[in-house]
Amino acid sequence: MDEQGVRWITDEAVGLLAAERDRIPVVPLSRRRPGLALEDAYRVQAEAVARRIEGGARVVGHKAGVTSEAMQEQMGVEEPDSGVLLDHMLLPSGSRLVRSELMQPRVEAEIAFRLGRDLTGPDLNVESVRRAVTGVFLALEVIDTRFTGWQITVADSIADNASCARVVTGPVVPFDPGVDLAAEQLVVSVDGTAVATGEGRAVLGDPFRPLVWLADRLARFGAGLRAGDLVLAGAVHASLPLGAASTVRAFSLHLPPVEFCVS
């Protein structure tokens, strides 16, 4: 990439960080740079993440996003994306979120994993991923866009760290190979009323498949998933607007529930 391209990536990363800090959205990249390549969008993401790390943030895992048909239809895309989880994004179940600290937040329930060993692609399969997983839990991901509205492309989402803002984590339990996580049904409620459901198989047919996809994608950059990483497999339902003064909860048959309050 030439000097002008490098400068553009830096400017866009700085702009997205400023938009989040000041809560003033910017015009989507896809409108200002039609035909934006996904790899360039990932370069913007990487630059923004690197700047956060320079400021003291720590990488704790990764997310696979837009892995379900419901989310792909909602976003108007045909492929997943991925983002990086940083320590300041994670909150334990029972936490309180301040709505005014976010911009255009939405929430989605996911099955998530803790890895016990490294996963480096390519040529992984579901069984090799299953053997690397030591813990599983429910997560409520709060997605947000630093762009002007949710009419964005997958390239916009990628540049914006896959739209990840917060991740509320439920208790991690040991992975039981006898539990069919593809058949695990998640129920999301807001203030006690069920508003969405979805099974683990909603994400690429099996919640382990997003980890295969993610490890293969990272391998193209000489990276991979590491022991201890937390990995979100993606929403099992279309995302929901996050309003103020509400309590959001997700539960399933075999995994402990997770919830948070919004003020």
Side-chain angles (χ1 to χ4, degrees):
M1 178 171 289
D2 61 21
E3 183 178 347
Q4 184 177 4
V6 171
R7 185 163 55 251
W8 176 83
I9 286 169
T10 299
D11 289 346
E12 294 298 342
V14 170
L16 283 168
L17 293 174
E20 182 176 3
R21 181 190 65 237
D22 301 333
R23 291 189 288 282
I24 299 175
V26 296
V27 175
L29 297 185
S30 59
R31 296 186 200 169
R32 292 181 282 116
R33 197 178 181 96
L36 173 65
L38 298 189
E39 296 309 325
D40 286 339
Y42 277 115
R43 290 186 177 99
V44 174
Q45 178 191 123
E47 176 66 21
V49 169
R51 287 173 176 269
R52 287 190 182 279
I53 292 171
E54 289 174 2
R58 180 172 56 88
V59 175
V60 294
H62 298 264
K63 64 160 284 189
V66 205
T67 52
S68 70
E69 184 176 340
M71 282 300 297
Q72 289 181 1
E73 288 180 356
Q74 186 179 51
M75 297 289 291
V77 302
E78 298 179 352
E79 60 185 292
D81 65 6
S82 72
V84 180
L85 303 183
L86 301 172
D87 55 349
H88 72 273
M89 298 176 178
L90 266 58
L91 298 167
S93 182
S95 294
R96 181 174 296 276
L97 275 67
V98 179
R99 175 64 175 75
S100 62
E101 293 179 352
L102 302 167
M103 297 172 68
Q104 304 164 77
R106 304 180 69 88
V107 64
E108 47 194 48
E110 313 186 18
I111 295 174
F113 302 97
R114 174 177 286 161
L115 299 182
R117 60 186 181 189
D118 294 353
L119 272 178
T120 304
D123 302 324
L124 293 174
N125 56 40
V126 167
E127 286 309 311
S128 59
V129 168
R130 286 169 62 92
R131 290 193 295 270
V133 167
T134 56
V136 60
F137 58 100
L138 294 181
L140 286 166
E141 182 185 3
V142 177
I143 60 173
D144 202 359
T145 181
R146 272 59 73 166
F147 296 117
T148 50
W150 280 104
Q151 300 302 311
I152 58 176
T153 68
V154 67
D156 294 317
S157 176
I158 288 167
D160 199 17
N161 198 25
S163 303
C164 191
R166 304 285 189 275
V167 179
V168 182
T169 59
V172 180
V173 297
F175 170 54
D176 179 357
V179 174
D180 182 5
L181 291 177
E184 189 79 355
Q185 184 176 60
L186 280 61
V187 179
V188 184
S189 67
V190 177
D191 294 332
T193 300
V195 294
T197 62
E199 292 186 337
R201 61 172 52 91
V203 291
L204 302 184
D206 186 307
F208 291 102
R209 289 192 184 279
L211 278 69
V212 175
W213 174 85
L214 182 55
D216 284 348
R217 197 201 73 75
L218 292 173
R220 298 203 300 269
F221 301 91
L225 301 172
R226 299 294 176 233
D229 275 355
L230 304 181
V231 185
L232 306 186
V236 300
H237 61 91
S239 66
L240 305 164
L242 185 63
S246 59
T247 298
V248 182
R249 187 172 190 262
F251 60 93
S252 71
L253 180 61
H254 298 100
L255 301 174
V258 56
E259 70 175 35
F260 65 86
C261 299
V262 186
S263 60

